[in-house]
Amino acid sequence: MPTHKETEKGVSELLQLLFEKHHLSLSSYEKILRERTKEEEELARSLARECTEKHYGRGVYTRGLIEFTNFCKNNCHYCGIQRDNGEVERYRLSKEEILSCCEEGYRLGFRTFVMQGGEDPYFTDERIVDIVSAIRKAYPDCAITLSIGEKSGESYEKYFKAGVNRYLLRHETADEAHYQYLHPKELSWKKRMRCLKELKEIGFQVGCGFMVGSPGQTVKTLAKDLYFIQEFQPDMCGIGPFIPQHATKFAKEKAGSLGETLFLLALLRLIKPNLLLPATTALGTIDEHGRELGILSGANVLMPNLSPKEVRKKYLLYDNKICTGDESAQCKADLEKKMKAIGAELLVDRGDARKEKESESKRNRRTCCQREK
Ligand code: 5AD
């Protein structure tokens, strides 16, 4: 329920309140999303920038992304590597290839490796554990992130014990009916939510996230996304614009916009000041300066690609994806230049979330709730 005070506020005041308290009601999020003007978008972005600088300074964390398999048993309606897309040339990297991506990454200064792939049954728990253990042994000072979809709690436990620190599993949407619209019927929103809860309980640093402007998304579903993130308190949140892929059911749908993505990045920063918030490749794809603008709107993470050049063009979740022809060193050098141009700096660091300043968000939440009573 909104507090009495909240219902009377205009959008600018709500943004200011979010900046101070990091907490709003579902209906206030709806109001912000429905009524905000261009000036209020700017206000949100500048408050978010201030908030990021307070917590993280001008440093931007980097993670080396290894897209190690594009086989997938699922048929998500939006995704270019869905099982039934016959145009995709499928590939898997071997353990040796994955380790040499890490080697190259380490040399380039990356201290987090993100292993991302489709839900590929070839990569059994045994194989994943074997690979992850080898990375853990070779790079004890690095963080390992997995992003391989929905698994059982037991599987997640095994990965954790093998040395995985973080897990990315976008929730895609916090609205069950919308989830069903985006996915075939064998996939379930409840299961996805259960996975996220289990990952957190096991002790992973957890990342969720969603696409901006996905088909069927409304102010109501987006407000639920924001409210979900406020309640779930993930360590990371990956958002980027939806971009149609020509061979999918959503080929003719409109892409998500730059402005809306930047606004949502800003809101997420205000909801959780120490959130790890990437400026994604999708954002860099819809606009040449998308990632820089993302950083200037509250994002503080970049995930350049470490996959071998030969496989890059095969991992196309959407059309026109950038960086598919570059060497890893090239991707990193380009980003370094782009960041320098906006006064930000790429960090060589594991890039864990900073502790919340004086536990400010919890303390504020307590005062908020007390007032609601
Ligand atoms: N446009 C933008 N993002 C996409 N993803 C998948 N397909 C697309 C697309 N067409 C995102 C999903 C998924 C993540 C790996 O990439 O949110 O969780």
Side-chain angles (χ1 to χ4, degrees), residues 239-241 243 257-258 261-262 265 278-291 293-295 318 322:
I239 71 163
I243 304 175
S257 79
L258 175 71
T261 309
L262 298 178
L265 282 170
T280 55
T281 307
L283 186 56
T285 297
I286 57 159
D287 188 284
E288 195 191 344
H289 300 296
R291 284 172 300 176
L293 291 166
I295 297 295
Y318 45 81
I322 52 170

PDB file of all heavy atoms in Angstrom, residues 239-241 243 257-258 261-262 265 278-291 293-295 318 322:
ATOM      1  N   ILE A 239      19.603  -5.460 -17.549  1.00  0.00           N
ATOM      2  CA  ILE A 239      18.495  -5.064 -18.424  1.00  0.00           C
ATOM      3  C   ILE A 239      19.062  -4.508 -19.735  1.00  0.00           C
ATOM      4  O   ILE A 239      20.134  -3.924 -19.766  1.00  0.00           O
ATOM      5  CB  ILE A 239      17.530  -4.035 -17.787  1.00  0.00           C
ATOM      6  CG1 ILE A 239      18.175  -2.645 -17.662  1.00  0.00           C
ATOM      7  CG2 ILE A 239      17.003  -4.507 -16.451  1.00  0.00           C
ATOM      8  CD1 ILE A 239      17.159  -1.539 -17.440  1.00  0.00           C
ATOM      9  N   GLY A 240      18.304  -4.736 -20.786  1.00  0.00           N
ATOM     10  CA  GLY A 240      18.682  -4.184 -22.084  1.00  0.00           C
ATOM     11  C   GLY A 240      17.432  -4.146 -22.928  1.00  0.00           C
ATOM     12  O   GLY A 240      16.428  -4.797 -22.599  1.00  0.00           O
ATOM     13  N   PRO A 241      17.452  -3.382 -24.012  1.00  0.00           N
ATOM     14  CA  PRO A 241      16.262  -3.319 -24.864  1.00  0.00           C
ATOM     15  C   PRO A 241      15.993  -4.664 -25.537  1.00  0.00           C
ATOM     16  O   PRO A 241      16.937  -5.373 -25.894  1.00  0.00           O
ATOM     17  CB  PRO A 241      16.636  -2.271 -25.911  1.00  0.00           C
ATOM     18  CG  PRO A 241      18.133  -2.297 -25.948  1.00  0.00           C
ATOM     19  CD  PRO A 241      18.586  -2.627 -24.561  1.00  0.00           C
ATOM     20  N   ILE A 243      15.323  -6.642 -28.711  1.00  0.00           N
ATOM     21  CA  ILE A 243      15.659  -6.388 -30.125  1.00  0.00           C
ATOM     22  C   ILE A 243      15.143  -7.588 -30.937  1.00  0.00           C
ATOM     23  O   ILE A 243      15.509  -8.726 -30.642  1.00  0.00           O
ATOM     24  CB  ILE A 243      17.188  -6.246 -30.326  1.00  0.00           C
ATOM     25  CG1 ILE A 243      17.744  -5.136 -29.414  1.00  0.00           C
ATOM     26  CG2 ILE A 243      17.520  -5.976 -31.797  1.00  0.00           C
ATOM     27  CD1 ILE A 243      19.266  -5.005 -29.441  1.00  0.00           C
ATOM     28  N   SER A 257      13.256   0.976 -26.525  1.00  0.00           N
ATOM     29  CA  SER A 257      13.925   2.238 -26.876  1.00  0.00           C
ATOM     30  C   SER A 257      15.089   2.553 -25.950  1.00  0.00           C
ATOM     31  O   SER A 257      15.160   2.075 -24.817  1.00  0.00           O
ATOM     32  CB  SER A 257      12.914   3.390 -26.846  1.00  0.00           C
ATOM     33  OG  SER A 257      12.688   3.790 -25.518  1.00  0.00           O
ATOM     34  N   LEU A 258      15.985   3.375 -26.481  1.00  0.00           N
ATOM     35  CA  LEU A 258      17.144   3.831 -25.709  1.00  0.00           C
ATOM     36  C   LEU A 258      16.688   4.623 -24.479  1.00  0.00           C
ATOM     37  O   LEU A 258      17.100   4.331 -23.358  1.00  0.00           O
ATOM     38  CB  LEU A 258      18.029   4.716 -26.605  1.00  0.00           C
ATOM     39  CG  LEU A 258      19.219   5.388 -25.927  1.00  0.00           C
ATOM     40  CD1 LEU A 258      20.285   4.366 -25.568  1.00  0.00           C
ATOM     41  CD2 LEU A 258      19.815   6.475 -26.822  1.00  0.00           C
ATOM     42  N   THR A 261      15.175   2.524 -21.724  1.00  0.00           N
ATOM     43  CA  THR A 261      16.172   1.684 -21.054  1.00  0.00           C
ATOM     44  C   THR A 261      17.008   2.524 -20.091  1.00  0.00           C
ATOM     45  O   THR A 261      17.268   2.115 -18.954  1.00  0.00           O
ATOM     46  CB  THR A 261      17.081   0.985 -22.090  1.00  0.00           C
ATOM     47  OG1 THR A 261      16.258   0.336 -23.060  1.00  0.00           O
ATOM     48  CG2 THR A 261      17.986  -0.036 -21.434  1.00  0.00           C
ATOM     49  N   LEU A 262      17.407   3.714 -20.528  1.00  0.00           N
ATOM     50  CA  LEU A 262      18.218   4.575 -19.659  1.00  0.00           C
ATOM     51  C   LEU A 262      17.426   4.988 -18.421  1.00  0.00           C
ATOM     52  O   LEU A 262      17.949   5.004 -17.304  1.00  0.00           O
ATOM     53  CB  LEU A 262      18.688   5.818 -20.426  1.00  0.00           C
ATOM     54  CG  LEU A 262      19.586   5.558 -21.646  1.00  0.00           C
ATOM     55  CD1 LEU A 262      19.935   6.874 -22.339  1.00  0.00           C
ATOM     56  CD2 LEU A 262      20.860   4.806 -21.258  1.00  0.00           C
ATOM     57  N   LEU A 265      17.314   2.035 -16.088  1.00  0.00           N
ATOM     58  CA  LEU A 265      18.616   1.864 -15.413  1.00  0.00           C
ATOM     59  C   LEU A 265      18.691   2.823 -14.221  1.00  0.00           C
ATOM     60  O   LEU A 265      19.089   2.446 -13.114  1.00  0.00           O
ATOM     61  CB  LEU A 265      19.770   2.147 -16.376  1.00  0.00           C
ATOM     62  CG  LEU A 265      20.124   1.037 -17.373  1.00  0.00           C
ATOM     63  CD1 LEU A 265      21.125   1.556 -18.416  1.00  0.00           C
ATOM     64  CD2 LEU A 265      20.698  -0.194 -16.670  1.00  0.00           C
ATOM     65  N   PRO A 278      24.781  -3.716 -15.244  1.00  0.00           N
ATOM     66  CA  PRO A 278      25.539  -3.613 -16.493  1.00  0.00           C
ATOM     67  C   PRO A 278      24.881  -2.731 -17.550  1.00  0.00           C
ATOM     68  O   PRO A 278      23.654  -2.668 -17.660  1.00  0.00           O
ATOM     69  CB  PRO A 278      25.619  -5.063 -16.984  1.00  0.00           C
ATOM     70  CG  PRO A 278      24.514  -5.784 -16.299  1.00  0.00           C
ATOM     71  CD  PRO A 278      24.180  -5.033 -15.039  1.00  0.00           C
ATOM     72  N   ALA A 279      25.743  -2.040 -18.290  1.00  0.00           N
ATOM     73  CA  ALA A 279      25.319  -1.408 -19.545  1.00  0.00           C
ATOM     74  C   ALA A 279      25.545  -2.505 -20.587  1.00  0.00           C
ATOM     75  O   ALA A 279      26.674  -2.866 -20.887  1.00  0.00           O
ATOM     76  CB  ALA A 279      26.169  -0.181 -19.838  1.00  0.00           C
ATOM     77  N   THR A 280      24.467  -3.082 -21.093  1.00  0.00           N
ATOM     78  CA  THR A 280      24.554  -4.348 -21.826  1.00  0.00           C
ATOM     79  C   THR A 280      24.903  -4.175 -23.308  1.00  0.00           C
ATOM     80  O   THR A 280      24.796  -3.080 -23.867  1.00  0.00           O
ATOM     81  CB  THR A 280      23.207  -5.105 -21.725  1.00  0.00           C
ATOM     82  OG1 THR A 280      22.172  -4.223 -22.184  1.00  0.00           O
ATOM     83  CG2 THR A 280      22.899  -5.510 -20.295  1.00  0.00           C
ATOM     84  N   THR A 281      25.268  -5.296 -23.893  1.00  0.00           N
ATOM     85  CA  THR A 281      25.568  -5.316 -25.327  1.00  0.00           C
ATOM     86  C   THR A 281      24.326  -4.917 -26.136  1.00  0.00           C
ATOM     87  O   THR A 281      24.437  -4.217 -27.158  1.00  0.00           O
ATOM     88  CB  THR A 281      26.037  -6.726 -25.744  1.00  0.00           C
ATOM     89  OG1 THR A 281      27.107  -7.105 -24.878  1.00  0.00           O
ATOM     90  CG2 THR A 281      26.518  -6.770 -27.180  1.00  0.00           C
ATOM     91  N   ALA A 282      23.151  -5.329 -25.671  1.00  0.00           N
ATOM     92  CA  ALA A 282      21.914  -4.958 -26.387  1.00  0.00           C
ATOM     93  C   ALA A 282      21.763  -3.439 -26.411  1.00  0.00           C
ATOM     94  O   ALA A 282      21.359  -2.854 -27.425  1.00  0.00           O
ATOM     95  CB  ALA A 282      20.696  -5.622 -25.747  1.00  0.00           C
ATOM     96  N   LEU A 283      22.127  -2.788 -25.320  1.00  0.00           N
ATOM     97  CA  LEU A 283      22.046  -1.324 -25.260  1.00  0.00           C
ATOM     98  C   LEU A 283      23.047  -0.700 -26.235  1.00  0.00           C
ATOM     99  O   LEU A 283      22.742   0.288 -26.915  1.00  0.00           O
ATOM    100  CB  LEU A 283      22.321  -0.867 -23.816  1.00  0.00           C
ATOM    101  CG  LEU A 283      22.152   0.611 -23.488  1.00  0.00           C
ATOM    102  CD1 LEU A 283      20.760   1.108 -23.844  1.00  0.00           C
ATOM    103  CD2 LEU A 283      22.431   0.866 -22.009  1.00  0.00           C
ATOM    104  N   GLY A 284      24.222  -1.310 -26.329  1.00  0.00           N
ATOM    105  CA  GLY A 284      25.222  -0.844 -27.288  1.00  0.00           C
ATOM    106  C   GLY A 284      24.819  -1.128 -28.721  1.00  0.00           C
ATOM    107  O   GLY A 284      25.322  -0.508 -29.663  1.00  0.00           O
ATOM    108  N   THR A 285      23.910  -2.078 -28.900  1.00  0.00           N
ATOM    109  CA  THR A 285      23.467  -2.450 -30.251  1.00  0.00           C
ATOM    110  C   THR A 285      22.413  -1.477 -30.789  1.00  0.00           C
ATOM    111  O   THR A 285      22.433  -1.137 -31.965  1.00  0.00           O
ATOM    112  CB  THR A 285      22.912  -3.896 -30.251  1.00  0.00           C
ATOM    113  OG1 THR A 285      23.974  -4.781 -29.901  1.00  0.00           O
ATOM    114  CG2 THR A 285      22.341  -4.288 -31.611  1.00  0.00           C
ATOM    115  N   ILE A 286      21.500  -1.012 -29.924  1.00  0.00           N
ATOM    116  CA  ILE A 286      20.458  -0.103 -30.454  1.00  0.00           C
ATOM    117  C   ILE A 286      20.974   1.326 -30.633  1.00  0.00           C
ATOM    118  O   ILE A 286      20.361   2.127 -31.323  1.00  0.00           O
ATOM    119  CB  ILE A 286      19.142  -0.073 -29.626  1.00  0.00           C
ATOM    120  CG1 ILE A 286      19.403   0.299 -28.171  1.00  0.00           C
ATOM    121  CG2 ILE A 286      18.363  -1.371 -29.752  1.00  0.00           C
ATOM    122  CD1 ILE A 286      18.157   0.828 -27.490  1.00  0.00           C
ATOM    123  N   ASP A 287      22.088   1.647 -29.979  1.00  0.00           N
ATOM    124  CA  ASP A 287      22.652   2.990 -30.154  1.00  0.00           C
ATOM    125  C   ASP A 287      24.160   2.921 -30.009  1.00  0.00           C
ATOM    126  O   ASP A 287      24.671   2.288 -29.093  1.00  0.00           O
ATOM    127  CB  ASP A 287      22.080   3.941 -29.091  1.00  0.00           C
ATOM    128  CG  ASP A 287      22.475   5.388 -29.349  1.00  0.00           C
ATOM    129  OD1 ASP A 287      23.650   5.749 -29.080  1.00  0.00           O
ATOM    130  OD2 ASP A 287      21.621   6.152 -29.827  1.00  0.00           O
ATOM    131  N   GLU A 288      24.820   3.583 -30.917  1.00  0.00           N
ATOM    132  CA  GLU A 288      26.285   3.581 -30.935  1.00  0.00           C
ATOM    133  C   GLU A 288      26.874   3.983 -29.574  1.00  0.00           C
ATOM    134  O   GLU A 288      27.909   3.488 -29.160  1.00  0.00           O
ATOM    135  CB  GLU A 288      26.723   4.578 -32.022  1.00  0.00           C
ATOM    136  CG  GLU A 288      28.142   4.469 -32.428  1.00  0.00           C
ATOM    137  CD  GLU A 288      28.568   5.653 -33.290  1.00  0.00           C
ATOM    138  OE1 GLU A 288      27.673   6.384 -33.815  1.00  0.00           O
ATOM    139  OE2 GLU A 288      29.780   5.832 -33.427  1.00  0.00           O
ATOM    140  N   HIS A 289      26.196   4.911 -28.907  1.00  0.00           N
ATOM    141  CA  HIS A 289      26.698   5.368 -27.605  1.00  0.00           C
ATOM    142  C   HIS A 289      25.878   4.825 -26.442  1.00  0.00           C
ATOM    143  O   HIS A 289      25.911   5.366 -25.335  1.00  0.00           O
ATOM    144  CB  HIS A 289      26.717   6.905 -27.559  1.00  0.00           C
ATOM    145  CG  HIS A 289      27.597   7.495 -28.610  1.00  0.00           C
ATOM    146  ND1 HIS A 289      28.955   7.290 -28.621  1.00  0.00           N
ATOM    147  CD2 HIS A 289      27.314   8.235 -29.708  1.00  0.00           C
ATOM    148  CE1 HIS A 289      29.484   7.892 -29.669  1.00  0.00           C
ATOM    149  NE2 HIS A 289      28.492   8.466 -30.364  1.00  0.00           N
ATOM    150  N   GLY A 290      25.138   3.755 -26.719  1.00  0.00           N
ATOM    151  CA  GLY A 290      24.231   3.202 -25.704  1.00  0.00           C
ATOM    152  C   GLY A 290      24.910   2.874 -24.391  1.00  0.00           C
ATOM    153  O   GLY A 290      24.398   3.192 -23.319  1.00  0.00           O
ATOM    154  N   ARG A 291      26.069   2.228 -24.482  1.00  0.00           N
ATOM    155  CA  ARG A 291      26.708   1.809 -23.230  1.00  0.00           C
ATOM    156  C   ARG A 291      27.247   2.995 -22.434  1.00  0.00           C
ATOM    157  O   ARG A 291      27.119   3.038 -21.215  1.00  0.00           O
ATOM    158  CB  ARG A 291      27.786   0.765 -23.515  1.00  0.00           C
ATOM    159  CG  ARG A 291      27.160  -0.607 -23.814  1.00  0.00           C
ATOM    160  CD  ARG A 291      28.167  -1.618 -24.274  1.00  0.00           C
ATOM    161  NE  ARG A 291      28.824  -1.173 -25.506  1.00  0.00           N
ATOM    162  CZ  ARG A 291      29.814  -1.829 -26.110  1.00  0.00           C
ATOM    163  NH1 ARG A 291      30.276  -2.954 -25.579  1.00  0.00           N
ATOM    164  NH2 ARG A 291      30.334  -1.386 -27.220  1.00  0.00           N
ATOM    165  N   LEU A 293      25.994   5.983 -22.474  1.00  0.00           N
ATOM    166  CA  LEU A 293      24.816   6.634 -21.890  1.00  0.00           C
ATOM    167  C   LEU A 293      24.283   5.815 -20.714  1.00  0.00           C
ATOM    168  O   LEU A 293      23.797   6.371 -19.727  1.00  0.00           O
ATOM    169  CB  LEU A 293      23.729   6.820 -22.963  1.00  0.00           C
ATOM    170  CG  LEU A 293      24.092   7.859 -24.029  1.00  0.00           C
ATOM    171  CD1 LEU A 293      23.156   7.763 -25.229  1.00  0.00           C
ATOM    172  CD2 LEU A 293      24.041   9.270 -23.423  1.00  0.00           C
ATOM    173  N   GLY A 294      24.399   4.496 -20.828  1.00  0.00           N
ATOM    174  CA  GLY A 294      24.003   3.613 -19.713  1.00  0.00           C
ATOM    175  C   GLY A 294      24.827   3.918 -18.474  1.00  0.00           C
ATOM    176  O   GLY A 294      24.282   4.073 -17.370  1.00  0.00           O
ATOM    177  N   ILE A 295      26.124   4.041 -18.656  1.00  0.00           N
ATOM    178  CA  ILE A 295      27.006   4.350 -17.519  1.00  0.00           C
ATOM    179  C   ILE A 295      26.641   5.726 -16.938  1.00  0.00           C
ATOM    180  O   ILE A 295      26.614   5.914 -15.726  1.00  0.00           O
ATOM    181  CB  ILE A 295      28.499   4.322 -17.951  1.00  0.00           C
ATOM    182  CG1 ILE A 295      28.908   2.914 -18.425  1.00  0.00           C
ATOM    183  CG2 ILE A 295      29.424   4.831 -16.835  1.00  0.00           C
ATOM    184  CD1 ILE A 295      28.888   1.825 -17.389  1.00  0.00           C
ATOM    185  N   TYR A 318      19.759 -11.741 -30.911  1.00  0.00           N
ATOM    186  CA  TYR A 318      18.962 -10.750 -31.641  1.00  0.00           C
ATOM    187  C   TYR A 318      19.777 -10.277 -32.840  1.00  0.00           C
ATOM    188  O   TYR A 318      20.982 -10.555 -32.930  1.00  0.00           O
ATOM    189  CB  TYR A 318      18.602  -9.570 -30.717  1.00  0.00           C
ATOM    190  CG  TYR A 318      19.767  -9.083 -29.888  1.00  0.00           C
ATOM    191  CD1 TYR A 318      20.722  -8.236 -30.407  1.00  0.00           C
ATOM    192  CD2 TYR A 318      19.924  -9.518 -28.568  1.00  0.00           C
ATOM    193  CE1 TYR A 318      21.804  -7.817 -29.662  1.00  0.00           C
ATOM    194  CE2 TYR A 318      21.010  -9.115 -27.800  1.00  0.00           C
ATOM    195  CZ  TYR A 318      21.947  -8.257 -28.352  1.00  0.00           C
ATOM    196  OH  TYR A 318      23.019  -7.862 -27.609  1.00  0.00           O
ATOM    197  N   ILE A 322      26.439  -6.204 -31.764  1.00  0.00           N
ATOM    198  CA  ILE A 322      27.764  -5.597 -31.984  1.00  0.00           C
ATOM    199  C   ILE A 322      28.900  -6.519 -31.514  1.00  0.00           C
ATOM    200  O   ILE A 322      28.658  -7.499 -30.814  1.00  0.00           O
ATOM    201  CB  ILE A 322      27.913  -4.230 -31.245  1.00  0.00           C
ATOM    202  CG1 ILE A 322      27.537  -4.372 -29.760  1.00  0.00           C
ATOM    203  CG2 ILE A 322      27.109  -3.159 -31.924  1.00  0.00           C
ATOM    204  CD1 ILE A 322      27.881  -3.163 -28.911  1.00  0.00           C
TER     205      ILE A 322
END
